[in-house]
Amino acid sequence: MLYQDKYFDQDKNSILRAAQGFVEPQLLQRWVEIAFDSYMALENPMGLVDDFILRLKSIEKYDTSLLEELYEILAAIYRYEKGNNQLEIIWDGRSHYEVYAENWSENFEKWVQHFCTQPEIYRAILKACILQQGTNTKFLYYGMRKIILGHFNLRITRNKTLKTA
């Protein structure tokens, strides 16, 4: 049985998971933009423009494949934190799907803003997503994953995710 088949169609987790999948491309793009802005604010506060900065700004297509698995981890953490499966009554006429996508997007952006204050995160994103250098992306991925899981006091083993003290 597939993991997605465990939920009912109108289950909150099913709707939330679908909403997270729908907004994923936009949020991954936004994550790269936030990392670039953090780099500029923290490592180039005077806004000097040299060849490297011009090269960074000239790249319009980002490779977000490094961030996809990390996005899934953050999405799962969010679903776990919002663990009840009861649908809420929404009085403003929007669907549950729209509300969950909006709430997830806001929460994701807060988390990413926090993570991108750390050089290990925004430098890895610059290297792998913007510059697309032939670096070892697995090394960058595991470094970023360690920081993200450490923030939530989580540890992933082969069979399960553990909450540490």
Side-chain angles (χ1 to χ4, degrees):
M1 180 191 295
L2 294 175
Y3 184 71
Q4 290 89 349
D5 295 336
K6 291 183 180 180
Y7 299 120
F8 297 107
D9 287 339
Q10 292 301 312
D11 180 49
K12 177 181 178 181
N13 287 319
S14 178
I15 296 170
L16 179 55
R17 186 183 192 95
Q20 288 173 330
F22 180 74
V23 296
E24 180 178 358
Q26 300 94 299
L27 292 180
L28 291 179
Q29 184 83 7
R30 183 71 184 124
W31 195 351
V32 175
E33 293 166 1
I34 290 170
F36 177 75
D37 293 343
S38 293
Y39 170 79
M40 293 299 288
L42 297 171
E43 298 205 17
N44 189 11
M46 293 178 60
L48 301 175
V49 179
D50 58 2
D51 292 338
F52 180 70
I53 300 298
L54 288 173
R55 183 171 160 217
L56 284 177
K57 288 183 177 183
S58 70
I59 297 171
E60 296 176 4
K61 179 90 170 109
Y62 305 134
D63 177 19
T64 58
S65 58
L66 170 76
L67 303 176
E68 289 171 357
E69 230 175 293
L70 297 168
Y71 179 89
E72 289 298 323
I73 291 171
L74 289 171
I77 291 169
Y78 182 79
R79 286 192 306 273
Y80 177 75
E81 284 185 351
K82 306 295 181 188
N84 64 0
N85 60 357
Q86 298 297 315
L87 293 175
E88 302 146 10
I89 296 174
I90 301 172
W91 299 100
D92 61 3
R94 295 183 298 162
S95 70
H96 288 94
Y97 186 85
E98 293 170 314
V99 171
Y100 294 156
E102 181 181 319
N103 292 345
W104 160 241
S105 298
E106 290 171 2
N107 198 71
F108 178 81
E109 186 144 343
K110 279 194 279 185
W111 284 350
V112 167
Q113 291 279 355
H114 169 73
F115 294 136
C116 283
T117 59
Q118 301 182 30
E120 297 86 359
I121 299 285
Y122 67 76
R123 288 178 185 164
I125 293 172
L126 286 179
K127 286 179 186 174
C129 299
I130 298 177
L131 296 174
Q132 301 170 11
Q133 294 176 337
T135 57
N136 184 356
T137 57
K138 276 294 182 196
F139 177 74
L140 298 174
Y141 164 78
Y142 283 115
M144 292 174 67
R145 185 179 107 164
K146 181 180 178 185
I147 291 170
I148 290 170
L149 293 175
H151 174 76
F152 295 103
N153 296 321
L154 295 174
R155 194 179 76 202
I156 295 179
T157 63
R158 285 183 179 226
N159 299 329
K160 55 182 117 181
T161 303
L162 306 171
K163 182 91 169 158
T164 59

